[in-house]
């Protein structure tokens, strides 16, 4: 499956952004979808994951209550709604797809190219 993330940009602290992930190729609904991010000078980290049905969802503690992951299998898209953004949310955000639900990169076989989110304080 090919993934393309979009929606990044520059936003002030406290603001909101909505990232999208467009999938093509294999059947998107067969896969877990996850979001990861990589801040400058840091390793990539888990943000959120959603099961194929949308019933099972997991968030990193750092984004709980502020970010919402969702998916629309009919449209082969996923999204990450980010509210109350903080400067520490700055980074490149990647959407990923895999067969196993989890928060580690090894669970995901397919990765998008990333979209940059910059939060100014």
């Amino acid at each position: 499956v090919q993934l393309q993330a979009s929606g990044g940009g520059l936003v002030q602290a406290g603001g909101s952004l909505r990232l999208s992930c467009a999938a093509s190729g294999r059947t998107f609904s067969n896969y877990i979808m996850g979001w990861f991010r990589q801040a400058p000078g840091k390793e990539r980290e888990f943000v959120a994951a959603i099961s194929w049905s949308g019933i099972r969802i997991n968030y990193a503690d750092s984004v709980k209550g502020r970010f919402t992951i969702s998916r629309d299998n009919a449209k082969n898209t996923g999204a990450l709604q980010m509210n109350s953004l903080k400067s520490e949310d700055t980074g490149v955000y990647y959407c990923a797809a895999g067969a196993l639900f989890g928060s580690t990169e090894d669970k995901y076989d397919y990765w998008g190219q990333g979209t940059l989110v910059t939060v100014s304080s």
Side-chain angles (χ1 to χ4, degrees), residues 93-116:
Y93 283 70
Y94 300 87
C95 61
L100 301 175
F101 191 88
S103 60
T104 55
E105 293 187 32
D106 61 351
K107 301 289 194 298
Y108 298 87
D109 303 304
Y110 306 98
W111 293 82
Q113 85 288 1
T115 185
L116 177 62

Side-chain angles (χ1 to χ4, degrees), residues 66-95:
R66 300 188 298 121
F67 290 12
T68 303
I69 189 172
S70 61
R71 67 189 297 163
D72 185 337
N73 290 333
K75 296 182 179 179
N76 285 342
T77 59
L80 184 70
Q81 177 67 43
M82 306 186 296
N83 298 329
S84 302
L85 283 162
K86 305 175 181 180
S87 57
E88 50 262 45
D89 294 319
T90 293
V92 178
Y93 283 70
Y94 300 87
C95 61

Side-chain angles (χ1 to χ4, degrees), residues 29-90:
S29 60
N30 290 342
Y31 295 93
I32 308 300
M33 186 187 77
W35 286 93
F36 290 75
R37 67 186 181 188
Q38 187 168 22
K42 295 187 177 181
E43 294 186 352
R44 190 157 56 186
E45 65 176 3
F46 170 76
V47 175
I50 185 169
S51 63
W52 65 270
S53 65
I55 293 177
R56 188 176 181 186
I57 290 176
N58 188 30
Y59 295 100
D61 288 343
S62 59
V63 306
K64 279 182 182 176
R66 300 188 298 121
F67 290 12
T68 303
I69 189 172
S70 61
R71 67 189 297 163
D72 185 337
N73 290 333
K75 296 182 179 179
N76 285 342
T77 59
L80 184 70
Q81 177 67 43
M82 306 186 296
N83 298 329
S84 302
L85 283 162
K86 305 175 181 180
S87 57
E88 50 262 45
D89 294 319
T90 293

